[in-house]
Amino acid sequence: MGHGRPPASPGQLRRLVDELAEAGLDLGGGQPWHELVVTELDYARRPKIHERRIPSYGAFVAPTVSSWAWEEATDLTIERRPIGDRPTDAARRFADGVSSWLIRHVDGRDEWAVFDRPAGSERDLVVLAEALGAVVVQRHPAGLVRVVGDFGVYRWDNMTWHHEPRVSTWMEAVTRGAGAGTPERDLFETLLEFAVHDLGARNIGATLIYKSDPTLRASIEQRLPTPPPLKITRPADLAPLRHVLAQIDGAALFDEHGTLVEIGVRLVPSVEAEADVEGFRGMRHTSARRYSFDDPHAVVIVVSEEGPVTVLKGGQKLGASASLPDTPDDGEADIVVGADRQPAPTG
């Protein structure tokens, strides 16, 4: 049987606003869409349960971009449908937050959006928020609640809110070390987005090293067979890449075009790096920092299992997506990106 959820009380909504304010997101009523976002977040966090099933959910709040531009920006076929005189609570039941969404407008003329394919990953939400000029609220089928907008991504893990700023807000600081040139910048931004929204969002720890020096063969130890040539710039290749990184330790090498050429590589610090570069958090961050010391032209992207992403160069931190907890992360999973691959020694 279904279990109806009573409407949130004013006190419950105020507490939600206060929680988000403490995490850095102001939804206190300064904008006309704030109340809608708070209402949708409350619904996402306290879903109605039917026969012990907790439904997913998704809504776009107050889109500002003309609907004719949505499909080109998202590469989706999007069908908009009016909800008519149906109450909002009834209309929400049809919005799964993956292929179907409720669109909330400040003027009350709400509607549905139906996609031709699923688009419910965190990376998808970032693209959708920008393409529609909207705030996106989602309860993912896995249970994670997110709110996404020009403020970045806020994730609710049933205990706390975690904030990931937009990659573009800290790209400038880290790309000073990545070198100039539009193709290189685009590739590096793709790596950061993959690190934040594909790996960090799923608590997959990893290290991405961009532009490694192929002559530093003593700094790596190969351990696994050659992988298929997956490309970081090809959307269809991201799922298998993410999947393999969740299962292995060690480094994965990409060439200058972003093509995967090797996985399972252990980073081996030089004697000088071990002596001169202090440990940083856990094993993953320390090995990445020491590698960046040994290969000063490389830019190293480290994904913590807790989610935050750190960028290192020359043994120093260039920037981070969010503050890291003091506890070390567990396990190892490293990626080396931008390496000019040479024939690997056999045996």
Side-chain angles (χ1 to χ4, degrees), residues 12-342:
Q12 287 174 314
L13 295 179
R14 280 196 302 271
R15 285 192 290 274
L16 177 55
V17 170
D18 290 343
E19 280 181 25
L20 287 161
E22 290 179 5
L25 179 59
D26 178 14
L27 294 177
Q31 296 294 332
W33 49 267
H34 281 181
E35 183 178 353
L36 288 177
V37 173
V38 173
T39 301
E40 295 308 304
L41 271 175
D42 174 74
Y43 181 84
R45 290 214 314 183
R46 301 189 307 119
K48 292 184 177 181
I49 300 173
H50 177 73
E51 295 182 349
R52 295 177 292 181
R53 295 186 181 91
I54 301 177
S56 60
Y57 177 65
F60 304 133
V61 179
T64 58
V65 175
S66 297
S67 59
W68 61 263
W70 295 358
E71 293 191 358
E72 182 177 358
T74 61
D75 198 26
L76 292 164
T77 298
I78 303 175
E79 183 180 350
R80 297 165 60 203
R81 303 177 185 179
I83 68 171
D85 58 0
R86 298 173 183 83
T88 301
D89 214 35
R92 287 189 179 112
R93 295 193 183 104
F94 297 89
D96 68 2
V98 178
S99 298
S100 58
W101 300 76
L102 183 64
I103 306 176
R104 301 297 312 274
H105 294 284
V106 174
D107 63 10
R109 292 185 294 180
D110 297 341
E111 54 189 331
W112 288 301
V114 181
F115 299 165
D116 63 330
R117 59 178 174 80
S121 72
E122 184 169 297
R123 176 187 288 270
D124 292 328
L125 302 192
V126 171
V127 172
L128 288 164
E130 183 175 359
L132 276 64
V135 175
V136 181
V137 174
Q138 182 205 48
R139 180 181 177 86
H140 190 270
L144 190 69
V145 174
R146 300 183 180 98
V147 55
V148 183
D150 59 9
F151 42 76
V153 178
Y154 283 81
R155 308 181 191 122
W156 172 254
D157 62 4
N158 292 317
M159 294 186 63
T160 59
W161 287 100
H162 171 77
H163 181 217
E164 287 288 355
R166 294 177 66 185
V167 167
S168 60
T169 63
W170 55 294
M171 265 289 291
E172 189 61 34
V174 298
T175 52
R176 284 196 294 267
T182 299
E184 184 176 19
R185 180 185 171 92
D186 289 347
L187 175 58
F188 187 66
E189 186 165 6
T190 300
L191 288 170
L192 276 179
E193 290 173 346
F194 178 73
V196 172
H197 301 305
D198 288 86
L199 300 180
R202 292 170 171 83
N203 301 111
I204 300 172
T207 304
L208 296 82
I209 305 176
Y210 178 61
K211 293 185 67 178
S212 66
D213 186 344
T215 66
L216 296 176
R217 303 306 292 176
S219 296
I220 62 172
E221 177 187 336
Q222 297 161 291
R223 299 187 296 183
L224 292 179
T226 301
L230 303 174
K231 293 196 70 169
I232 193 70
T233 54
R234 185 183 298 140
D237 287 359
L238 298 182
L241 177 58
R242 182 177 63 238
H243 190 62
V244 71
L245 293 177
Q247 302 177 66
I248 64 169
D249 294 334
L253 275 65
F254 291 71
D255 65 18
E256 69 276 16
H257 304 295
T259 301
L260 180 68
V261 294
E262 234 172 281
I263 58 174
V265 173
R266 185 171 73 90
L267 301 179
V268 182
S270 66
V271 173
E272 184 182 6
E274 288 192 299
D276 295 348
V277 181
E278 294 183 355
F280 176 45
R281 297 194 75 241
M283 292 175 59
R284 178 180 296 114
H285 286 78
T286 296
S287 65
R289 186 180 187 183
R290 288 173 174 165
Y291 179 89
S292 75
F293 176 86
D294 287 331
D295 187 357
H297 297 294
V299 181
V300 184
I301 305 172
V302 187
V303 186
S304 168
E305 286 186 9
E306 295 89 354
V309 173
T310 305
V311 180
L312 305 164
K313 184 176 179 5
Q316 302 296 322
K317 185 172 79 170
L318 290 181
S321 67
S323 60
L324 287 163
D326 293 332
T327 54
D329 51 2
D330 300 320
E332 293 294 315
D334 302 295
I335 309 174
V336 181
V337 182
D340 294 319
R341 185 172 184 263
Q342 295 182 343

